[in-house]
Amino acid sequence: MNINNNTFEKFRFTVSKHGILMAIFIAMVFEILRFFNIFPPSQLIVVTTFILVAILSLMYILIQKSNIKLIYIQWISLLSVITYIIFQTALVDYHKFLPIWIDFSIIIAFLIMDKKYALGLSFYSLVGIIFIYNLGVYKLDFFSFFTLLFSIVSFSILGYVISLQLNKYEEDNKRQKEKLKQLVLLDELTQIFNRRAFFEIATKLLKQANRENKKISVLMLDIDFFKKINDTYGHEAGDEVLKKVTCIIQKTIRENDIFARLGGEEFVILLYDVDIFDTKNIASKILEAIRKHKIIYKSNKIKITMSIGIYCIDTLNTNDNIKEFLLKSDQALYEAKNTGKDKYVFYKEEK
Ligand code: GH3
Ligand code: MG
Ligand code: MG
């Protein structure tokens, strides 16, 4: 029954995973270029690149393990990349375009992380750049330094806006899924569980009853002479009766009983943790409440009655299934219909 689809989580996971791979790739390319003397060789930079690649590779291995929180991996990876860039910016003098990678990392952070974590990274970048600049080892002039700070702030604002929009989509998506779930599980007219939901939930409840050694009862309910109501007052009146009957029954049963509309004017109730006396009691209460209630439709007073077939189960086996129980209560319902209606009948084992 798990319809909860986490498309956005999948997106964040995929971007993180491939982002780590991409960062490793870019770092390696720079090292290869350095190897061919396209960039000036520097032992310190080779060492820091090695450390970065080692951390990122570890993160790439860890991200595949489901027991580690994604946010830790994202955080460590982005923090390492940004620290590496700040460090490199301070060390090398071919730095003109290097700081752009910080802006890029910040945008990625807003795409894959919660806003507050991404903002934390922006703040870290700003502090890091200012710190390095104040150390005097930073090789950019003041104007370029200022441009870099300005770009980090601008990209953070852009990232924040993107993140807000993404969150909005995510919320809408969740709401739509919730709606879809209701459409799939609820009966449109009465807004109680439909046949499909009943089978799913009842199957789980049977297992629980078996584990907890609880008794259950399955009640099949059917409105008497419903066709006549439709024929006399119209289909809309029939619908009104179905809704009213649902309300009346809902008031009679407990919250943890399952109540569903199987289709047409047929309902089912699964009573949990009840013996035969409780079941009789509840069935009589339902019949009486329905009998007493007059449904008013366009100034017509419609009187209705119901018939109930009941199957009580004392001890459940692991291989019991709800379909079989429904058949038995249906058999009892058939007898109730044939012996006068407006009554309940218990299923009797044929000898
Ligand atoms: P019995 O007392 O033996 O149960 O007879 P009945 O007339 O209640 O039962 P029958 O199965 O002959 O008729 C059921 C009717 O229910 C036929 C169908 O038109 C009507 N029906 C089924 N679904 C709906 C619905 O959603 N709304 C309305 N208004 N009528 C429905
Ligand atoms: Mg009927
Ligand atoms: Mg029927």
Side-chain angles (χ1 to χ4, degrees), residues 189 222-228 230 234-239 242 261 263-265 337 341:
L189 180 72
D222 186 291
I223 302 173
D224 300 328
F225 306 110
F226 189 64
K227 200 175 172 310
K228 215 166 129 192
N230 270 333
H235 206 265
E236 257 177 51
D239 283 357
L242 287 170
R261 183 181 176 207
E265 20 80 86
K337 291 280 184 192
K341 306 186 182 181

Side-chain angles (χ1 to χ4, degrees), residues 242-255:
L242 287 170
K243 282 197 250 177
K244 203 74 218 177
V245 162
T246 305
C247 283
I248 297 169
I249 297 176
Q250 245 163 353
K251 280 181 200 150
T252 325
I253 57 173
R254 299 163 307 173
E255 251 179 50

Side-chain angles (χ1 to χ4, degrees), residues 2 95 146 181 220 238 320 340:
N2 194 8
H95 44 62
F146 181 76
K181 199 167 158 182
M220 187 90 114
D320 280 330

Side-chain angles (χ1 to χ4, degrees), residues 64-325:
Q64 328 265 8
K65 302 225 185 310
S66 55
N67 53 346
I68 292 170
K69 269 197 167 176
L70 186 61
I71 183 68
Y72 296 142
I73 292 172
Q74 293 168 331
W75 186 256
I76 295 172
S77 306
L78 281 164
L79 207 66
S80 320
V81 168
I82 291 174
T83 309
Y84 174 77
I85 301 165
I86 294 172
F87 194 60
Q88 279 235 35
T89 313
L91 287 177
V92 295
D93 50 7
Y94 53 89
H95 44 62
K96 284 262 153 48
F97 299 105
L98 201 55
I100 282 295
W101 293 106
I102 295 186
D103 299 335
F104 184 67
S105 308
I106 285 170
I107 286 288
I108 294 282
F110 276 102
L111 277 179
I112 62 174
M113 289 170 143
D114 192 278
K115 289 188 288 296
K116 57 177 185 283
Y117 298 123
L119 277 176
L121 278 177
S122 307
F123 186 69
Y124 173 78
S125 312
L126 285 175
V127 171
I129 294 290
I130 293 169
F131 178 72
I132 291 286
Y133 185 77
N134 281 337
L135 273 187
V137 285
Y138 198 73
K139 292 188 170 77
L140 287 181
D141 55 58
F142 179 75
F143 182 71
S144 308
F145 162 73
F146 181 76
T147 311
L148 177 56
L149 290 192
F150 184 70
S151 79
I152 291 177
V153 173
S154 317
F155 274 85
S156 301
I157 294 170
L158 176 67
Y160 193 82
V161 172
I162 293 173
S163 176
L164 279 182
Q165 204 58 29
L166 272 181
N167 283 2
K168 203 175 146 286
Y169 281 137
E170 200 170 2
E171 287 287 306
D172 287 352
N173 199 278
K174 253 191 210 156
R175 226 171 292 134
Q176 270 175 7
K177 293 237 167 79
E178 206 50 47
K179 233 189 209 166
L180 198 74
K181 199 167 158 182
Q182 287 198 343
L183 276 180
V184 172
L185 297 179
L186 295 188
D187 172 57
E188 204 184 343
L189 180 72
T190 57
Q191 290 296 304
I192 57 171
F193 288 127
N194 58 21
R195 169 183 282 269
R196 176 202 201 118
F198 176 77
F199 275 93
E200 277 198 37
I201 302 168
T203 304
K204 279 181 196 154
L205 210 62
L206 287 199
K207 286 198 182 108
Q208 189 186 327
N210 178 33
R211 270 198 315 272
E212 296 176 353
N213 219 354
K214 298 275 196 238
K215 295 174 181 168
I216 61 162
S217 296
V218 179
L219 282 69
M220 187 90 114
L221 308 96
D222 186 291
I223 302 173
D224 300 328
F225 306 110
F226 189 64
K227 200 175 172 310
K228 215 166 129 192
I229 296 168
N230 270 333
D231 293 345
T232 317
Y233 306 102
H235 206 265
E236 257 177 51
D239 283 357
E240 203 50 45
V241 168
L242 287 170
K243 282 197 250 177
K244 203 74 218 177
V245 162
T246 305
C247 283
I248 297 169
I249 297 176
Q250 245 163 353
K251 280 181 200 150
T252 325
I253 57 173
R254 299 163 307 173
E255 251 179 50
N256 34 353
D257 300 326
I258 312 173
F259 177 35
R261 183 181 176 207
L262 288 178
E265 20 80 86
E266 260 179 38
F267 297 86
V268 63
I269 302 173
L270 198 153
L271 298 173
Y272 192 76
D273 193 18
V274 285
D275 59 19
I276 192 158
F277 300 104
D278 303 323
T279 309
K280 270 185 186 173
N281 213 344
I282 293 167
S284 322
K285 262 194 202 162
I286 292 174
L287 289 180
E288 193 172 330
I290 298 278
R291 206 180 291 133
K292 275 207 314 216
H293 200 93
K294 281 187 201 75
I295 295 162
I296 297 174
Y297 179 78
K298 289 187 180 166
S299 70
N300 293 303
K301 279 185 195 146
I302 308 172
K303 281 192 79 172
I304 49 161
T305 56
M306 274 186 117
S307 301
I308 310 177
I310 306 172
Y311 181 50
C312 289
I313 304 106
D314 276 351
T315 31
L316 276 141
N317 296 314
T318 33
N319 51 356
D320 280 330
N321 81 67
I322 190 67
K323 243 185 198 157
E324 189 188 308
F325 295 165

